C-alpha cells in the first residue's frame, strides 16, 4: 500500500468509525444545538482527532526512524541499518536507503584504503630520505666538528664540543622521526616488539610512566592488521601526550576470545563533549579497513581509553597499506 492510500485509509477508518458511532448512538441534534449536544459533538471530535493522530503516528513511525538515522548516520561507524517493515512504499524507501549505506560504506573504505596506502608509501619515502640523506649529512657534520675540535685552540674547543653535542642530539631526533614514520621493528620483529619499542620511546622522551601488558601468545594476524594496530596505538599515545596532561598511560594488547583487543588508557583530563578531532577520525578510518570496532570512552579511573577490537582473522584490504610487507616477517 502506498503512503497516500495508507494515510487515506487511516483517516477513512477514523471518520467511518465516528459516523457509525453517531448513527448507532442515541444522540440527536436539535435545530438550535443544545449545550449537552454541543458537549457530545466536541467530545466526539476530540476522540476522533486523538484516534487519528495515534494511527498516523503508528503508520508514519518508520519514516520518523528513517529521518532520525539520516541525521545521525556516520560512515565510520558501519552497520547502522533500519529493519524493513513489510512491503510498500515505505519499505522500498528504507530498503533503498540501506542499500545506499552499503554502497557508501564500501566506497568510503576503498577510497580510505587508497589514501592510507599513499600515505604509508609517502611515510616510507620520507623516512628513507631522512635516514639516507639528512642522517648521513649530519653524521658527516658531526665527524667534521670532532676533527675541528681536536685541532682547535682551547678557546674554541668548548664551543665546538657544544656544537658537536647539539648536532648529535639533532641526529638522534632525525633517527627517531624516521622510526616513527617507518616502523622497521614491526617489519623485522613483529607487533609485540614494535609496541614495546613505542612505549619505551614515549617514556624516554616524555617522562610519562608507561605500563605495558602485551600478550605474546597472539593469533596469527595479517600484516595489514598488525599495521593498523600499531598506527592506532601510535595515534592514541600521541593524543595522550598532546591533550591528556596525564602522568600514566596503560598500553595493552591481549587476546579476548576470537578477537584481539588493543587498549590505550591514561589518567588525564578525560574526554569532553567536543567533536572528535582528526586523530580519532583517522583511527576510525583505519579500524574500518580491517573490520575492527573502535571505542573512545572515559576510563574507569578517569582519563580516556581507546579500545580497538579486531577479529582474530581480521579483514585485510586488497592493497596493503605498507606497500605489501612480507607476511613471513619474524614475529615475537
Amino acid at each position: 500500500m502506498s503512503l497516500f492510500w495508507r494515510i487515506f485509509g487511516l483517516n477513512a477508518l477514523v471518520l467511518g468509525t465516528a459516523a457509525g458511532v453517531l448513527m448507532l448512538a442515541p444522540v440527536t441534534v436539535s435545530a438550535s444545538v443544545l449545550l449537552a449536544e454541543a458537549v457530545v459533538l466536541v467530545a466526539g471530535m476530540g476522540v476522533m482527532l486523538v484516534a487519528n493522530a495515534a494511527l498516523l503516528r503508528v503508520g508514519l513511525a518508520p519514516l520518523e526512524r528513517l529521518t532520525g538515522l539520516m541525521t545521525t548516520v556516520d560512515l565510520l561507524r558501519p552497520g547502522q541499518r533500519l529493519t524493513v517493515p513489510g512491503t510498500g512504499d515505505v519499505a522500498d524507501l528504507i530498503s533503498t536507503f540501506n542499500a545506499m549505506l552499503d554502497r557508501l560504506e564500501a566506497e568510503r573504505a576503498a577510497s580510505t584504503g587508497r589514501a592510507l596506502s599513499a600515505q604509508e608509501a609517502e611515510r616510507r619515502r620520507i623516512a628513507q630520505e631522512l635516514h639516507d640523506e639528512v642522517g648521513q649529512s649530519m653524521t658527516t657534520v658531526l665527524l667534521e666538528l670532532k676533527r675541528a675540535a681536536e685541532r682547535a685552540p682551547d678557546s674554541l674547543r668548548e664551543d665546538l664540543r657544544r656544537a658537536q653535542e647539539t648536532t648529535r642530539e639533532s641526529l638522534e631526533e632525525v633517527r627517531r622521526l624516521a622510526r616513527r614514520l617507518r616502523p622497521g621493528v614491526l617489519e623485522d620483529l613483529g607487533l609485540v616488539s614494535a609496541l614495546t619499542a613505542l612505549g619505551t620511546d614515549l617514556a624516554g622522551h616524555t617522562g610519562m610512566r608507561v605500563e605495558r601488558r602485551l600478550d605474546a601468545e597472539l593469533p596469527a594476524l595479517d600484516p595489514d592488521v598488525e599495521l593498523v594496530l600499531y598506527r592506532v596505538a601510535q595515534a592514541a599515545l600521541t593524543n595522550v601526550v598532546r591533550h591528556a596532561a596525564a602522568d600514566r598511560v596503560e598500553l595493552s594488547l591481549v587476546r579476548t576470545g576470537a578477537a584481539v583487543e588493543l587498549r590505550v588508557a591514561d589518567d588525564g583530563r578525560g574526554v569532553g563533549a567536543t567533536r572528535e578531532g582528526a586523530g580519532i577520525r583517522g583511527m576510525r578510518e583505519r579500524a574500518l579497513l580491517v573490520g575492527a570496532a573502535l571505542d573512545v570512552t572515559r576510563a574507569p579511573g578517569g582519563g580516556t581509553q581507546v579500545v580497538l577490537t579486531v577479529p582474530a582473522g581480521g579483514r585485510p584490504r586488497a592493497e596493503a597499506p605498507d606497500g605489501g610487507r612480507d607476511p613471513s616477517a619474524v614475529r615475537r
Side-chain angles (χ1 to χ4, degrees):
M1 184 182 297
S2 67
L3 182 61
F4 169 79
W5 288 110
R6 181 175 300 179
I7 295 177
F8 179 81
L10 291 174
N11 286 323
L13 176 63
V14 172
L15 292 175
T17 302
V21 169
L22 289 176
M23 285 189 297
L24 298 176
V27 177
T28 59
V29 179
S30 304
S32 298
V33 180
L34 301 178
L35 179 60
E37 295 172 344
V39 171
V40 171
L41 290 176
V42 171
M45 179 63 70
V47 171
M48 182 176 65
L49 292 175
V50 170
N52 189 38
L55 291 174
L56 285 176
R57 175 69 67 182
V58 173
L60 298 179
L63 288 180
E64 293 182 356
R65 291 195 296 270
L66 178 61
T67 303
L69 180 59
M70 285 180 174
T71 58
T72 59
V73 68
D74 186 351
L75 296 180
L76 294 181
R77 294 178 172 86
Q80 302 176 73
R81 300 293 185 272
L82 287 175
T83 303
V84 180
T87 59
D89 290 349
V90 175
D92 292 341
L93 179 61
I94 293 177
S95 297
T96 303
F97 182 72
N98 288 342
M100 183 188 70
L101 287 182
D102 291 337
R103 292 194 303 272
L104 289 176
E105 288 178 1
E107 291 171 2
R108 176 65 180 265
S111 62
T112 300
R114 290 190 294 269
L116 292 179
S117 295
Q119 183 186 87
E120 290 295 334
E122 187 67 10
R123 284 172 180 255
R124 286 199 315 276
R125 185 187 67 79
I126 295 174
Q128 194 70 32
E129 290 184 0
L130 285 175
H131 182 272
D132 295 344
E133 303 295 335
V134 180
Q136 290 182 6
S137 298
M138 294 186 70
T139 301
T140 301
V141 171
L142 191 62
L143 294 175
E144 292 293 337
L145 286 173
K146 182 180 179 180
R147 285 195 290 267
E150 292 173 350
R151 298 193 302 266
D154 294 341
S155 58
L156 294 177
R157 189 169 299 168
E158 186 61 28
D159 292 337
L160 288 173
R161 286 177 177 172
R162 282 199 298 269
Q164 184 179 356
E165 185 61 27
T166 301
T167 304
R168 182 180 292 108
E169 292 175 357
S170 299
L171 177 60
E172 181 58 32
E173 182 66 18
V174 167
R175 289 172 175 169
R176 188 179 71 85
L177 289 174
R179 288 195 300 269
R180 286 178 60 85
L181 289 170
R182 182 174 182 268
V185 178
L186 178 63
E187 299 179 3
D188 299 334
L189 300 178
L191 181 60
V192 172
S193 296
L195 292 179
T196 300
L198 192 63
T200 302
D201 184 66
L202 177 70
H205 283 82
T206 64
M208 190 180 302
R209 190 168 83 253
V210 180
E211 300 176 359
R212 291 184 291 267
R213 181 186 169 209
L214 305 175
D215 190 353
E217 300 298 327
L218 294 174
L221 298 173
D222 188 273
D224 294 349
V225 176
E226 288 190 348
L227 183 61
V228 167
L229 286 165
Y230 179 84
R231 289 299 188 199
V232 169
Q234 188 180 49
L237 291 174
T238 300
N239 280 350
V240 171
V241 174
R242 290 179 178 176
H243 309 296
D247 298 320
R248 179 188 61 83
V249 61
E250 177 188 344
L251 173 62
S252 68
L253 180 69
V254 296
R255 181 170 187 170
T256 57
V260 174
E261 181 184 277
L262 171 72
R263 182 174 180 268
V264 178
D266 63 75
D267 62 350
R269 59 171 58 100
V271 293
T274 57
R275 295 180 59 185
E276 293 182 352
I280 295 178
R281 301 290 290 182
M283 286 187 269
R284 292 196 185 282
E285 289 179 345
R286 290 186 179 276
L288 184 63
L289 299 179
V290 294
L294 181 76
D295 291 317
V296 182
T297 57
R298 189 170 185 84
T304 305
Q305 67 175 4
V306 177
V307 179
L308 178 69
T309 306
V310 186
R315 191 183 67 202
R317 297 200 316 268
E319 183 180 0
D322 60 346
R325 285 192 290 118
D326 181 8
S328 62
V330 178
R331 297 181 175 83
R332 193 178 80 174

